[in-house]
Amino acid sequence: MTEEKATFFFHEPLGAGASKVVSGMKKREVQASVKDERLVQRRRDQMIKGAVSLFKEKGFHRTTTREIAKAAGFSIGTLYEYIRTKEDVLYLVCDSIYDHVSERLQEDLEHKQGTLESLKHGIANYFRVIDEMQEEILVMYQEAKSLTKDALPYVLNKENEMAAMFEKLITLCVENGELNLSEKQIRILSHTIIVEGQMWSFRRWTLQKLFTLEEYIEMQTEYLFSGINGVSKALQKGTITK
Amino acid sequence: MTEEKATFFFHEPLGAGASKVVSGMKKREVQASVKDERLVQRRRDQMIKGAVSLFKEKGFHRTTTREIAKAAGFSIGTLYEYIRTKEDVLYLVCDSIYDHVSERLQEDLEHKQGTLESLKHGIANYFRVIDEMQEEILVMYQEAKSLTKDALPYVLNKENEMAAMFEKLITLCVENGELNLSEKQIRILSHTIIVEGQMWSFRRWTLQKLFTLEEYIEMQTEYLFSGINGVSKALQKGTITK
Amino acid sequence: MTEEKATFFFHEPLGAGASKVVSGMKKREVQASVKDERLVQRRRDQMIKGAVSLFKEKGFHRTTTREIAKAAGFSIGTLYEYIRTKEDVLYLVCDSIYDHVSERLQEDLEHKQGTLESLKHGIANYFRVIDEMQEEILVMYQEAKSLTKDALPYVLNKENEMAAMFEKLITLCVENGELNLSEKQIRILSHTIIVEGQMWSFRRWTLQKLFTLEEYIEMQTEYLFSGINGVSKALQKGTITK
Amino acid sequence: MTEEKATFFFHEPLGAGASKVVSGMKKREVQASVKDERLVQRRRDQMIKGAVSLFKEKGFHRTTTREIAKAAGFSIGTLYEYIRTKEDVLYLVCDSIYDHVSERLQEDLEHKQGTLESLKHGIANYFRVIDEMQEEILVMYQEAKSLTKDALPYVLNKENEMAAMFEKLITLCVENGELNLSEKQIRILSHTIIVEGQMWSFRRWTLQKLFTLEEYIEMQTEYLFSGINGVSKALQKGTITK
DNA sequence: AATGAATGAGAATTCATTCAT
DNA sequence: TATGAATGAATTCTCATTCAT
């Protein structure tokens, strides 16, 4: 993967600073004045926790650094001992959410077997993670655009890593002969899966009023595997119920 | 549809002010000091045009009202003759984009016939509209969350109207016996179509590097109608090419 | 009367521009673009009427020229055909109020006779005028300070003219042998009378809750003529009632 | 005293928020971001000092917050650490002036004895305080009207407290048999005294040119106690000089 | 390390005044 | 004469960031 012209959820076309999204990319460093690594970690955790709940409530721009400091339980001066700019907080928050999601997914995708069953299971699991973390997901996708150019590649990288998980899962199925899909088809499929998960969170104002999570999983899986035609026929035959 | 607890792309849980998303809802009025309706329309068009390009570049929050005025080609004082608050600009922008998208869709969905072919055609057309307006789409979905509570129902309503278009299209197919889907399945399907369209714009940083629009349309349609299994089999049989 | 260092209800120490308060001073001209004198007068009357009611409600500074124009029944453009600056409106308003008050007083003080009775009658009449015009009185005294330096002498002059009326009335009594007061005593007395009148308007929040106008007139007159000692004795003797 | 329909020096008729002027009323709190109470006091003192001198010069409305900050010796940002709105400054200024006046009066009225002599002494003292603080008095009475509804009761209350001081002084004389006055007469008298004091400041442009403070005190006292008639007779008899 | 007072650039909004029609 | 759209200087207030204690 080379030079990004990333415009995922981002406004500015990326300039020189923002390039190469390499898998296995190192974390972007956020400078702290305080040396004690353990303390830095603890303070940042407090900070992220406070910030997430504030961002949920009012978004990044409407949240002030003072509020973040207060929510984190320390003073504004202390806040700035652990970050350099307000945007650092946003980066830490996004990074942390990605990590949590990835972690939860990784956990489950550990025992990848390359069967259709395990793929379905993986998808269902992903949807459930999304459901549990919907607030965070919302925050992340809505505010990530406010990250500056140099934080961007790291975030895009995370997105790619997530897609890669599903790609791997699907590829295993292909290798096992359970599926027969081209590279490109795998790519698009994994992105579609990810987006359908996000959909549960983004469109919850309507979806979550119409369906329970499990219904949603079932129906989406049905569509995903059998498509409109398949679903249509199955319904006709009575294989699946309304 | 009743009382919304909308959390679509919005942070604050909606209070009393923001309820009822009624189809056929009247436009929310944005007050102008200037009386000449025609002039108001013209100036607002200038304003929207300028604002969209600024919002694309730097987002709503980072764009100042002075910049908007300048981009629109008039003074800050004049800007405020046509709106009341900065947020009004955002509302006008979102409203305008929705209108354009809807219009473009409506145009095409006029000759709805209730055949699978026409449904496919409608979807393809929608994807193309998205492609043409991707910048605007991006702006709308990323900034709409900054609208205040009282502008919200109008925006949610637009979303519903868009979903309703596809619901109608699909329902026609069902009525014609071309498809056999339950109410709920129609619902979820139309939202999925919409989201897959948005995906082309949201994930363009990766999708548009891998696929041409027509490829994307073809592949998504394939998945949508036949699902993973169908695609998989077709590929095996050589019905479709990689 | 010479060089004023007027600080009546005015903030800035007066510079060169503001001097000589001469009795019989000509009115300060307020320039109009419109030539037709009659029209100018009519429009200004509309303007003053509207402005007074607005100033009553929200004060000079919080009232906008647009509001004044609207209240006057014409457009902002038209307003500026009859004045040069917003402050001109204030001057016209103050001037007009003074004129009304003076006129009402003059009317009554016409038949000055130089008896104590007629002095009492004059005072009572003045109090009644104040009562009738209290809103205007309030406006005038509260906003006059916003007049610029060059409008000031005219206003001070009006104040002097009012004091002069009572001075004349009292002087007549002195000349008639009904009273025996020095120049200075006459001066201070006439100012005191004027201020006691204003008091009815300025302190109405408490006075007008405790007394009717007629009670107030009676009591103030009693004090004015007999003083604390006199009132005290009269009460003791039962000459006056509580 | 209950429900006020105060229109003292105020434009808007008071709504629900502005009621009950209770003696012993607590001070209206002005919120500060800074915690250190002592510092808050010091900074506010600087602020008030600067503001008073600016208000004297150009009035509340024509003074900008930046000017206030500068006059106080700190930045605009710092100013807003100690107040919430510009109006807070006005409230602090008015409050401070009242406090100073009250304090100066209280000091002296401490040794109230209920003799006519001590009453005269109290009045003279009040006039001298007014003289010393005339600039502040002017500012207070001219700008107080710009206070919002919720600051009003506090200010009216102060006015009442001042009147109450004289009422007490007079009442003592009545109780001692030195005077014989009704409740209402006491009321009106104390207000008259207060207003005659203010008169020295409000009409200084003419009074202070004609009289020295001591002359003014003497003459007003004469009138106050003996009235026109008394003064007139005394002059005739040669008891007092011109 | 922690604190929180100080800073000032920057933002939205208002409104007196002008001027072309 | 009358109109009202256009203007932009001026104003209040916010908030990220710094730095002395």
Side-chain angles (χ1 to χ4, degrees):
Chain A
M1 199 160 300
T2 53
E3 193 67 13
E4 291 291 311
K5 176 143 186 289
T7 28
F8 168 39
F9 22 67
F10 309 92
H11 289 289
E12 301 130 295
L14 298 171
S19 54
K20 312 263 175 190
V21 174
V22 188
S23 187
M25 185 182 264
K26 258 197 297 182
K27 258 194 204 311
R28 172 165 168 277
E29 291 288 339
V30 172
Q31 285 216 18
S33 307
V34 172
K35 306 291 167 186
D36 181 342
E37 274 301 331
R38 213 176 301 258
L39 186 55
V40 171
Q41 202 41 247
R42 198 169 68 224
R43 291 279 181 260
R44 284 188 179 167
D45 285 346
Q46 295 176 264
M47 197 161 86
I48 288 164
K49 212 173 149 191
V52 167
S53 97
L54 285 164
F55 292 174
K56 273 182 204 171
E57 195 191 320
K58 21 162 62 189
F60 173 69
H61 279 106
R62 291 205 225 278
T63 301
T64 69
T65 50
R66 297 179 106 93
E67 288 171 323
I68 295 169
K70 195 175 181 186
F74 38 71
S75 73
I76 183 68
T78 302
L79 182 75
Y80 275 87
E81 293 290 311
Y82 296 94
I83 53 158
R84 286 250 272 242
T85 69
K86 187 186 175 188
E87 205 228 298
D88 281 347
V89 181
L90 181 55
Y91 174 73
L92 290 174
V93 162
C94 288
D95 193 55
S96 147
I97 296 177
Y98 265 117
D99 279 356
H100 275 272
V101 176
S102 294
E103 201 181 309
R104 291 277 280 100
L105 285 187
Q106 212 84 47
E107 251 171 50
D108 198 84
L109 301 192
E110 218 71 299
H111 15 268
K112 30 191 171 194
Q113 299 166 305
T115 64
L116 282 189
E117 256 341 281
S118 83
L119 176 56
K120 281 181 188 175
H121 186 268
I123 291 169
N125 182 59
Y126 163 64
F127 281 20
R128 287 192 196 100
V129 172
I130 290 280
D131 183 62
E132 283 168 37
M133 306 191 62
Q134 40 184 298
E135 300 268 280
E136 283 77 12
I137 300 278
L138 233 37
V139 165
M140 192 173 67
Y141 283 102
Q142 279 166 9
E143 307 300 349
K145 70 161 194 299
S146 298
L147 289 171
T148 43
K149 285 182 258 300
D150 68 300
L152 218 74
Y154 299 85
V155 169
L156 288 184
N157 183 44
K158 297 277 181 164
E159 276 293 318
N160 275 330
E161 281 177 2
M162 282 189 57
M165 286 186 201
F166 281 107
E167 282 175 32
K168 226 173 276 174
L169 220 54
I170 300 165
T171 304
L172 270 178
C173 293
V174 171
E175 286 168 0
N176 274 3
E178 296 253 330
L179 286 177
N180 187 15
L181 297 170
S182 72
E183 269 277 321
K184 282 189 163 189
Q185 283 167 338
I186 293 171
R187 273 278 170 74
I188 216 173
L189 184 55
S190 56
H191 279 280
T192 302
I193 292 168
I194 284 175
V195 166
E196 284 179 354
Q198 292 168 359
M199 178 174 154
W200 179 247
S201 137
F202 287 174
R203 309 213 136 213
R204 59 167 160 167
W205 53 281
T206 187
L207 294 177
Q208 301 193 16
K209 244 175 18 202
L210 295 168
F211 312 102
T212 64
L213 173 63
E214 294 306 321
E215 273 180 322
Y216 183 74
I217 292 175
E218 197 188 349
M219 294 182 87
Q220 280 294 19
T221 308
E222 203 63 47
Y223 272 126
L224 215 41
F225 281 81
S226 313
I228 299 174
N229 295 323
V231 169
S232 213
K233 274 176 213 152
L235 199 66
Q236 205 150 25
K237 293 186 207 156
T239 317
I240 59 174
T241 40
K242 298 202 172 199
Chain B
M1 200 159 301
T2 53
E3 195 68 12
E4 293 291 310
K5 178 144 187 284
T7 30
F8 170 37
F9 20 66
F10 308 94
H11 288 289
E12 300 130 294
L14 298 172
S19 54
K20 311 261 177 189
V21 174
V22 187
S23 187
M25 186 181 262
K26 259 196 293 180
K27 257 192 203 314
R28 173 165 167 275
E29 293 286 341
V30 173
Q31 286 218 17
S33 306
V34 171
K35 315 255 173 122
D36 182 341
E37 275 301 332
R38 213 176 300 254
L39 187 56
V40 170
Q41 203 41 251
R42 198 168 67 220
R43 291 277 180 262
R44 283 190 179 166
D45 285 345
Q46 293 176 264
M47 196 164 89
I48 289 165
K49 213 172 149 192
V52 167
S53 96
L54 285 163
F55 292 173
K56 274 181 202 172
E57 194 191 323
K58 22 163 60 189
F60 174 69
H61 280 105
R62 290 206 224 278
T63 300
T64 69
T65 51
R66 299 191 105 86
E67 287 170 323
I68 296 170
K70 196 174 179 185
F74 36 71
S75 73
I76 183 66
T78 300
L79 181 75
Y80 276 89
E81 290 284 305
Y82 296 92
I83 52 157
R84 287 254 267 243
T85 66
K86 188 185 175 190
E87 206 229 300
D88 281 346
V89 181
L90 181 55
Y91 174 73
L92 289 174
V93 162
C94 289
D95 192 55
S96 147
I97 296 176
Y98 263 117
D99 278 356
H100 277 273
V101 176
S102 294
E103 201 181 312
R104 292 275 284 100
L105 285 188
Q106 212 83 47
E107 254 170 49
D108 199 82
L109 301 193
E110 219 71 299
H111 14 268
K112 26 192 176 192
Q113 298 165 307
T115 64
L116 283 190
E117 257 341 280
S118 84
L119 176 56
K120 282 182 188 174
H121 185 269
I123 292 169
N125 182 58
Y126 164 63
F127 280 21
R128 286 190 197 102
V129 172
I130 290 277
D131 183 60
E132 284 167 37
M133 305 191 62
Q134 42 184 298
E135 300 269 280
E136 284 76 13
I137 300 278
L138 232 38
V139 165
M140 192 173 67
Y141 283 102
Q142 280 165 8
E143 307 301 350
K145 71 163 194 298
S146 297
L147 289 171
T148 42
K149 285 181 258 301
D150 68 300
L152 217 75
Y154 299 85
V155 170
L156 288 184
N157 182 45
K158 298 274 179 160
E159 272 301 296
N160 275 333
E161 281 177 2
M162 282 189 57
M165 287 186 200
F166 282 106
E167 281 175 34
K168 226 172 276 175
L169 220 54
I170 300 165
T171 303
L172 271 177
C173 294
V174 172
E175 286 169 0
N176 274 2
E178 298 255 330
L179 286 177
N180 188 13
L181 298 170
S182 71
E183 272 277 321
K184 282 188 164 190
Q185 282 167 338
I186 294 172
R187 272 278 169 74
I188 216 172
L189 184 54
S190 56
H191 279 278
T192 302
I193 292 168
I194 285 174
V195 165
E196 284 180 356
Q198 292 167 0
M199 177 174 155
W200 178 247
S201 138
F202 287 173
R203 307 215 137 210
R204 61 167 159 166
W205 51 282
T206 188
L207 294 177
Q208 301 191 18
K209 241 173 24 201
L210 294 168
F211 312 100
T212 64
L213 173 63
E214 293 306 321
E215 274 181 319
Y216 183 73
I217 290 174
E218 197 188 348
M219 295 183 85
Q220 281 293 22
T221 307
E222 203 64 46
Y223 272 126
L224 215 41
F225 281 82
S226 312
I228 299 175
N229 294 324
V231 169
S232 213
K233 272 176 214 154
L235 199 67
Q236 204 152 27
K237 291 188 208 152
T239 317
I240 59 173
T241 40
K242 295 198 173 201
Chain C
M1 200 160 300
T2 53
E3 192 69 13
E4 292 292 309
K5 176 145 187 284
T7 29
F8 168 39
F9 21 67
F10 309 92
H11 289 290
E12 301 130 292
L14 298 171
S19 54
K20 312 263 177 187
V21 174
V22 188
S23 185
M25 185 180 262
K26 258 196 296 180
K27 257 194 205 311
R28 173 164 167 278
E29 293 287 339
V30 171
Q31 285 215 17
S33 306
V34 172
K35 306 291 167 186
D36 182 343
E37 274 301 331
R38 214 176 299 258
L39 186 54
V40 170
Q41 202 40 247
R42 198 170 66 225
R43 292 277 181 261
R44 283 188 179 166
D45 285 345
Q46 294 176 265
M47 197 161 86
I48 289 164
K49 212 173 150 193
V52 166
S53 97
L54 285 164
F55 292 173
K56 273 183 204 172
E57 194 191 321
K58 20 162 61 189
F60 173 69
H61 278 105
R62 289 204 227 278
T63 301
T64 69
T65 50
R66 297 178 107 91
E67 288 170 324
I68 295 170
K70 195 174 180 185
F74 37 72
S75 73
I76 182 67
T78 302
L79 182 76
Y80 274 86
E81 292 290 312
Y82 297 93
I83 52 158
R84 286 251 272 240
T85 68
K86 186 186 176 190
E87 207 229 298
D88 281 346
V89 181
L90 182 56
Y91 174 73
L92 290 174
V93 162
C94 288
D95 192 55
S96 147
I97 297 177
Y98 265 118
D99 280 355
H100 275 273
V101 176
S102 294
E103 200 181 311
R104 292 276 281 99
L105 284 188
Q106 212 83 47
E107 250 171 54
D108 199 82
L109 301 193
E110 219 70 297
H111 15 267
K112 27 192 175 195
Q113 299 165 307
T115 64
L116 283 189
E117 255 343 278
S118 84
L119 176 57
K120 281 182 189 174
H121 185 268
I123 292 170
N125 181 59
Y126 164 63
F127 280 19
R128 287 191 196 101
V129 172
I130 290 279
D131 184 61
E132 284 168 38
M133 305 192 62
Q134 40 185 299
E135 298 269 282
E136 284 77 13
I137 301 277
L138 233 37
V139 165
M140 192 173 67
Y141 284 101
Q142 280 166 7
E143 307 300 350
K145 70 163 193 299
S146 297
L147 288 171
T148 42
K149 283 182 260 300
D150 68 299
L152 217 75
Y154 299 85
V155 169
L156 289 184
N157 184 44
K158 297 277 181 163
E159 276 292 317
N160 275 332
E161 281 176 3
M162 283 189 56
M165 287 187 203
F166 281 106
E167 282 174 34
K168 227 171 275 174
L169 220 53
I170 300 165
T171 304
L172 270 178
C173 292
V174 172
E175 286 168 2
N176 275 4
E178 298 254 330
L179 287 177
N180 188 13
L181 298 169
S182 71
E183 270 278 318
K184 282 188 165 190
Q185 282 166 337
I186 293 171
R187 273 280 169 74
I188 216 172
L189 183 55
S190 57
H191 279 279
T192 302
I193 292 168
I194 285 174
V195 165
E196 284 179 356
Q198 292 167 0
M199 177 175 155
W200 178 247
S201 137
F202 287 172
R203 308 215 136 211
R204 60 168 160 163
W205 53 281
T206 188
L207 294 177
Q208 301 192 17
K209 243 173 20 199
L210 294 168
F211 312 102
T212 64
L213 172 63
E214 294 306 320
E215 274 180 319
Y216 183 73
I217 291 174
E218 196 187 349
M219 295 182 87
Q220 280 294 21
T221 308
E222 201 67 44
Y223 271 126
L224 215 42
F225 280 81
S226 313
I228 299 174
N229 295 325
V231 170
S232 211
K233 273 176 212 152
L235 198 66
Q236 206 152 25
K237 293 190 207 148
T239 317
I240 60 172
T241 39
K242 297 202 171 200
Chain D
M1 199 159 300
T2 53
E3 195 68 12
E4 292 289 312
K5 176 140 187 289
T7 27
F8 171 39
F9 20 67
F10 309 94
H11 288 288
E12 300 131 293
L14 299 171
S19 54
K20 310 262 176 193
V21 174
V22 188
S23 187
M25 185 181 264
K26 257 196 297 181
K27 256 191 204 315
R28 173 164 167 277
E29 293 286 342
V30 172
Q31 285 219 18
S33 305
V34 171
K35 315 254 173 123
D36 183 341
E37 275 299 332
R38 213 175 300 254
L39 187 56
V40 170
Q41 203 41 248
R42 199 170 65 220
R43 291 277 180 263
R44 282 189 179 167
D45 285 346
Q46 293 175 263
M47 197 163 90
I48 289 165
K49 214 173 148 192
V52 167
S53 97
L54 285 163
F55 292 173
K56 274 182 202 171
E57 194 192 321
K58 21 162 61 189
F60 174 69
H61 279 107
R62 291 206 223 276
T63 301
T64 70
T65 51
R66 299 191 108 86
E67 285 171 324
I68 296 170
K70 196 173 180 186
F74 35 71
S75 72
I76 182 68
T78 302
L79 181 75
Y80 277 90
E81 290 284 303
Y82 296 93
I83 51 157
R84 285 253 267 244
T85 66
K86 187 185 175 190
E87 205 229 299
D88 281 346
V89 181
L90 182 55
Y91 175 73
L92 289 174
V93 162
C94 289
D95 192 55
S96 147
I97 296 176
Y98 264 117
D99 278 356
H100 277 273
V101 176
S102 294
E103 202 181 310
R104 292 276 282 100
L105 285 187
Q106 211 84 46
E107 253 170 50
D108 198 83
L109 301 193
E110 218 70 299
H111 16 265
K112 29 193 172 190
Q113 298 164 307
T115 64
L116 283 188
E117 256 342 280
S118 83
L119 175 57
K120 282 181 187 174
H121 186 269
I123 292 170
N125 181 58
Y126 163 64
F127 281 20
R128 288 191 196 102
V129 171
I130 290 278
D131 183 61
E132 284 168 37
M133 305 190 63
Q134 40 184 300
E135 299 269 280
E136 283 77 12
I137 300 278
L138 232 37
V139 165
M140 192 173 67
Y141 283 102
Q142 279 165 11
E143 308 300 351
K145 71 162 192 302
S146 297
L147 289 171
T148 42
K149 285 183 256 301
D150 69 300
L152 218 77
Y154 299 85
V155 169
L156 289 184
N157 183 46
K158 297 275 181 161
E159 273 302 296
N160 275 332
E161 280 177 4
M162 283 188 56
M165 286 187 202
F166 282 106
E167 282 175 33
K168 226 172 275 174
L169 220 55
I170 301 164
T171 304
L172 271 178
C173 293
V174 172
E175 286 168 1
N176 274 4
E178 298 254 330
L179 286 177
N180 189 12
L181 298 170
S182 70
E183 271 276 323
K184 282 189 162 189
Q185 283 166 338
I186 294 172
R187 273 279 170 74
I188 215 172
L189 184 54
S190 56
H191 279 279
T192 301
I193 293 168
I194 285 174
V195 165
E196 284 179 355
Q198 292 168 358
M199 177 175 154
W200 178 247
S201 138
F202 287 174
R203 310 213 134 212
R204 59 167 162 168
W205 52 280
T206 188
L207 294 177
Q208 300 192 18
K209 242 173 23 201
L210 294 169
F211 311 101
T212 64
L213 173 63
E214 294 306 321
E215 275 179 321
Y216 183 74
I217 292 175
E218 197 188 347
M219 295 183 86
Q220 280 293 20
T221 309
E222 204 64 47
Y223 271 126
L224 216 39
F225 280 82
S226 314
I228 298 174
N229 296 325
V231 169
S232 213
K233 274 176 211 151
L235 197 67
Q236 205 153 28
K237 291 186 207 152
T239 317
I240 60 171
T241 39
K242 296 203 172 197

